[in-house]
Amino acid sequence: MGECKQGQQQQAFWPELSTYDDNRSYLSANFHSIDAAISHYRTLAHSKSWKPLKGRFLLREGRQHAQVELIRERLRILGDYSYDHPLANQRFFDSRLTAAVITFQRRHGLKVDGIVGPNTRKALNITPRERWQQLLVNKQRALVDRVAERPDYIEINIPDFQLRYFRNGEVITQMRVIVGKKDRPTPVMNSTLKALEVNPDWNVPRRIAYEDILPKLQGEREAFDKLGVKLVKGWHEEPNVVSVDELNMDHFYRGELAEQHRFWQPPGASNPLGQLKFIFPNDFSIYMHGTPGMHLFDEPRRTFSSGCIRIEDPMGLARLLLETSEKPALDLDAELETEAASISGLPGNVEIFTRYRTAWVDQDRGVLQFRADIYRRDPNELAQLSAAQQQEPADTVTN
């Protein structure tokens, strides 16, 4: 990371810094590069103290509280609150503050409701120093991540819970996704889409079988029956379904393939994979698929899967991908109506990347974005980055 004098950084990256002083800032949260954001947050880190906003209570428009004044000033410093006229009552939560809170929530991936609750307060408590370090880590990630070799690609930012499909370098669609839980994280990887499976069945992975499904079978049978999974023996083209009363733990995901007992779920409306599955080669047995649990997409923090990526609009994405195919168009609606599993090849030029970015500057609008470090990767990567740096002190992450 190249270093220049602080005054030069302000001129090159953030000309509006001339309006900044120790008491207040009238800056926006817009930057033309991540370097500009790094420069700005380094300045904040060295000039601003950050007292924690305590409590788990809710503050909303119309309320009056001593913390309101602190929230307003903090949002002013962070660039989300730009109103610059005297207020009759600094402790009153007015409509302008609501708008600023909404702006802050939107660019931090929080529930957008204009209410300051525990999660918004937690995000407001993250210091400029921590944000500066977060930006440095993410700049390094951007430097080492593989760049798309083709103009058509899919990019999934795991902490942002978003998928974006680029065609000819432009975003043509984006949608919400669900990613892996903390103990079953979605990996960072690069691949190419190869096939689309319509009406997929589900061969339950060993870990999910033991940790999630077997306890239900060993508990109340009704809970197991609601899952819709079957016990099958062996690995045959047509699954050999047997009674769960025949379960032999000595052969449960063990031994010769022809003797193995395992869980399997046929295609259908309740299948966890939904009606479409997107296949791409990788070392993690990860794929994209639909889901019957559409209500989960309304949650701001969507870590519910066992590592695979559930997407909000699989049909919409499939139609767009098939548009570029040279083969006769696949009649998805007809295929889905049959409820029979089938696999169709996809055009082999759409790359797919999963990324782990907790801070970035939005390319279209230049808005600085932050997301929660859902897998707690930032501290380890910050430590690695700090250890690797051999530059002058003013440019180190620990200064």
Side-chain angles (χ1 to χ4, degrees):
M1 284 170 245
E3 171 67 9
C4 59
K5 299 296 183 181
Q6 187 171 348
Q8 292 174 327
Q9 285 178 326
Q10 293 173 4
Q11 180 64 32
F13 293 136
W14 192 251
E16 295 91 343
L17 277 173
S18 60
T19 65
Y20 181 88
D21 61 40
D22 288 338
N23 298 315
R24 58 177 52 195
S25 165
Y26 309 124
L27 305 179
S28 74
N30 286 48
F31 298 84
H32 62 74
S33 71
I34 197 167
D35 284 318
I38 289 171
S39 174
H40 176 57
Y41 272 84
R42 178 167 53 195
T43 301
L44 284 182
H46 290 142
S47 62
K48 280 291 177 184
S49 59
W50 222 246
K51 295 180 180 179
L53 301 168
K54 298 180 179 180
R56 296 182 58 82
F57 54 92
L58 302 181
L59 284 175
R60 66 181 77 206
E61 189 172 332
R63 291 286 304 276
Q64 183 167 288
H65 193 277
Q67 201 173 91
V68 170
E69 184 175 2
L70 297 175
I71 293 169
R72 180 182 288 107
E73 184 59 22
R74 187 154 302 179
L75 290 172
R76 187 194 304 275
I77 292 170
L78 295 175
D80 298 292
Y81 184 92
S82 58
Y83 187 69
D84 185 32
H85 294 281
L87 298 174
N89 186 350
Q90 293 280 355
R91 298 186 172 193
F92 181 70
F93 200 125
D94 60 9
S95 60
R96 294 185 182 91
L97 184 55
T98 298
V101 170
I102 287 173
T103 299
F104 177 86
Q105 290 171 330
R106 185 171 288 118
R107 67 185 190 87
H108 287 76
L110 300 166
K111 181 179 180 181
V112 180
D113 57 9
I115 299 171
V116 178
N119 292 330
T120 299
R121 195 175 279 108
K122 181 179 179 181
L124 283 165
N125 280 338
I126 296 176
T127 66
R129 180 183 182 82
E130 291 172 298
R131 291 301 191 195
W132 167 39
Q133 294 175 333
Q134 187 178 2
L135 286 162
L136 288 169
V137 167
N138 282 276
K139 177 182 178 180
Q140 181 64 21
R141 285 176 181 148
L143 291 173
V144 301
D145 279 345
R146 203 183 92 186
V147 178
E149 297 177 356
R150 304 181 182 95
D152 290 7
Y153 63 96
I154 289 173
E155 185 176 84
I156 298 160
N157 186 1
I158 298 167
D160 191 29
F161 310 109
Q162 290 284 335
L163 174 151
R164 293 174 177 85
Y165 176 26
F166 293 78
R167 184 180 291 172
N168 296 321
E170 301 291 333
V171 177
I172 62 169
T173 191
Q174 66 180 60
M175 63 189 68
R176 295 174 292 186
V177 303
I178 292 168
V179 300
K181 305 170 186 175
K182 185 177 180 180
D183 61 339
R184 302 179 191 177
T186 298
V188 172
M189 57 188 171
N190 314 312
S191 187
T192 303
L193 286 173
K194 292 297 184 183
L196 174 67
E197 185 171 354
V198 183
N199 294 318
D201 59 355
W202 184 37
N203 293 302
V204 180
R206 177 189 177 98
R207 180 175 181 179
I208 296 176
Y210 271 95
E211 295 183 6
D212 298 343
I213 298 178
L214 189 60
K216 289 183 172 62
L217 178 60
Q218 294 171 334
E220 293 189 19
R221 180 64 176 272
E222 184 180 353
F224 172 81
D225 291 339
K226 287 181 178 179
L227 295 175
V229 300
K230 310 292 183 182
L231 181 68
V232 298
K233 181 180 179 179
W235 290 80
H236 308 283
E237 187 172 342
E238 290 294 328
N240 180 19
V241 179
V242 297
S243 170
V244 291
D245 296 328
E246 298 180 26
L247 176 61
N248 185 334
M249 293 302 298
D250 291 334
H251 296 293
F252 194 53
Y253 290 85
R254 298 173 183 169
E256 296 182 9
L257 293 180
E259 298 298 322
Q260 281 189 11
H261 282 183
R262 60 189 174 86
F263 289 133
W264 168 82
Q265 188 163 353
S270 62
N271 190 294
L273 306 187
Q275 293 180 289
L276 293 173
K277 172 182 171 182
F278 300 80
I279 302 170
F280 45 93
N282 62 86
D283 296 329
F284 309 97
S285 299
I286 295 297
Y287 41 84
M288 293 193 308
H289 60 85
T291 175
M294 295 299 293
H295 64 284
L296 294 177
F297 288 105
D298 292 329
E299 296 293 328
R301 187 181 178 114
R302 296 187 288 277
T303 50
F304 303 115
S305 85
S306 293
C308 286
I309 303 157
R310 307 177 198 171
I311 63 176
E312 181 181 15
D313 184 14
M315 181 67 84
L317 180 60
R319 292 190 192 285
L320 288 171
L321 290 168
L322 290 168
E323 283 179 357
T324 63
S325 176
E326 296 178 357
K327 299 178 181 179
L330 175 68
D331 189 341
L332 281 176
D333 294 311
E335 292 284 336
L336 290 172
E337 285 180 7
T338 67
E339 296 189 0
S342 64
I343 297 180
S344 297
L346 287 173
N349 59 350
V350 178
E351 295 178 285
I352 181 167
F353 304 92
T354 58
R355 309 293 199 199
Y356 194 86
R357 303 277 176 83
T358 59
W360 70 95
V361 174
D362 184 275
Q363 292 182 358
D364 296 327
R365 297 171 296 151
V367 177
L368 180 61
Q369 303 279 338
F370 290 107
R371 295 296 183 267
D373 181 14
I374 56 176
Y375 298 153
R376 297 295 299 154
R377 292 180 178 175
D378 286 3
N380 288 337
E381 294 188 34
L382 176 67
Q384 294 169 11
L385 181 60
S386 179
Q389 280 186 331
Q390 300 296 326
Q391 299 178 2
E392 54 205 85
D395 199 37
T396 62
V397 299
T398 56
N399 181 48

